Amino acid sequence: MPIFPKDFLWGAATSSYQVEGDNSNCDWWEWEKKVGLKDVSGHACRHYDLFREDFDKAAELNHNAHRISIEWSRIEPSNQEFSESQLKHYIDVIDALRQRNIEPIVTLHHFTNPLWFSRLGGWESGEAEKFFLRYVKFIVNALSEKVRFWVTINEPNVYAYHAYLIGAWPPQKKSISKTRIVLNNLANAHISCYKAIHDIYRSKGLNPPFVSIAHNAQAFVPCKDNLRNKIACALRNKWYNLDFIDKLFKHRALDYIGINYYTRSLVEVKGWGIHNLILDVCTSQHHPLAKNSLGWDIYPQGLYDVLKGFKKYNLPIIITENGICTEDDSLRWDYISEHLKMVHRALKDGIKVKGYIYWSLMDNFEWDKGFSHRFGLISIDYNNFARTIRQSAVNFANVCKTGSLD
């Protein structure tokens, strides 16, 4: 029976825009209406008002950690104008977690930006790092005595890919050069914020914080075991999984590594061109696996492979997201349990995994895909915002309580 360490972090995650509702001052709110998304975020899950009820359920499910995000557009609605009332709201959120003996893991940027920031060029701007750092200092100064774990930026590689390479998310650019600029600005922003956060804790005589990013990683698997596919997998693993972390590691700007893992990419390269090597995937249903409702392969082995790849950094690792969208709750529990087996295998191999945070605590607004893809341990009835704990959540609660996977 897999047994996990006594001090292991167990919990789930949310992000502000996806659950709070009525985040009307950010780029996504404007964009989703402009492009006419089938589902707009609207009231989302009304978590902004109902967070105490949601945290009661997390406590009932034996979670000892919870990952939230702070909505920058609430905190700084206009350039250099900070909202004390919105800061007070997030202080109340952190206090509510602490009162329930749940460790807050606080994310400072989860895909969304204030409108004013976007209109000044967003993450393409040469001033992006300065603007973000100013906001981060404001938050960390206020919350440093209540928070130990920080995630500066969620999935910078996913953000840059969707917003600047393929143009699926705001600001819908399609430019390799702008993608590089954005990734560079995100990395530099994290490095600056890492130093600033540690400086704040030092100046207050507090124990050092734990600061990282939440990094999306995939398993790249060759469809056919030939040289071209192997080279493509190695290139993608380096570019997608390792390059961003390498840069932060070289600047000594990571106290742990946050990893978001969901799926594999089955690589079948049709030519030697750079676009082939970077983008080609199998389209012939070779090696079929069960999938989530977004069509992503369910591949638990990939989590072990990813963790093994990050062992070289010799840093603690927290699984900051891992989850499945499905209408079949028994499949959700299978997904969780099989991935936890891979986490335990990694622990046995000496990989320093310190926690597992499921995505997500509740069903939510899944960006450009809307409300139909349900990731939650807790289901949401969007007609009346009623919350219902799923059986998978009860099964996971037993793991959280006992530290063992039976």
Side-chain angles (χ1 to χ4, degrees), residues 16 127 220 275 289 314 316:
S16 52
E127 295 191 295
F220 295 101
H275 277 82
L289 296 174
N314 196 32

Side-chain angles (χ1 to χ4, degrees), residues 347-361:
L347 283 165
K348 286 206 307 184
D349 287 351
I351 299 166
K352 299 189 287 189
V353 187
K354 300 298 183 184
Y356 176 88
I357 306 298
Y358 177 81
W359 180 271
S360 62
L361 179 64

Side-chain angles (χ1 to χ4, degrees), residues 149-198:
F149 292 93
W150 295 96
V151 172
T152 56
I153 299 163
N154 180 72
E155 297 186 337
N157 51 356
V158 172
Y159 175 75
Y161 175 82
H162 281 88
Y164 288 90
L165 189 63
I166 66 169
W169 292 355
Q172 288 191 291
K173 304 288 177 76
K174 292 183 182 180
S175 165
I176 291 173
S177 62
K178 286 180 179 175
T179 301
R180 286 184 181 137
I181 289 167
V182 167
L183 282 169
N184 191 54
N185 285 342
L186 288 164
N188 290 338
H190 167 82
I191 292 163
S192 295
C193 291
Y194 176 91
K195 293 172 182 170
I197 293 168
H198 275 269

Side-chain angles (χ1 to χ4, degrees), residues 360-405:
S360 62
L361 179 64
M362 67 192 86
D363 295 336
N364 56 44
F365 177 72
E366 186 50 36
W367 304 112
D368 55 326
K369 304 297 188 295
F371 289 103
S372 58
H373 299 286
R374 293 178 174 260
F375 278 94
L377 295 171
I378 298 166
S379 74
I380 301 289
D381 182 336
Y382 292 107
N383 294 310
N384 57 17
F385 300 101
R387 276 86 162 127
T388 305
I389 290 172
R390 292 187 165 113
Q391 182 60 43
S392 58
V394 176
N395 296 348
F396 182 50
N398 190 53
V399 178
C400 299
K401 183 178 181 179
T402 63
S404 65
L405 183 64

Side-chain angles (χ1 to χ4, degrees), residues 287-326:
H287 317 292
L289 296 174
K291 300 178 187 296
N292 72 10
S293 66
L294 284 164
W296 303 349
D297 285 346
I298 298 171
Y299 188 65
Q301 170 71 34
L303 177 55
Y304 173 79
D305 294 341
V306 163
L307 290 170
K308 193 174 176 184
F310 283 93
K311 185 180 182 181
K312 67 176 184 175
Y313 299 106
N314 196 32
L315 285 169
I317 294 171
I318 297 174
I319 311 299
T320 38
E321 288 181 26
N322 176 243
I324 181 173
C325 52
T326 180

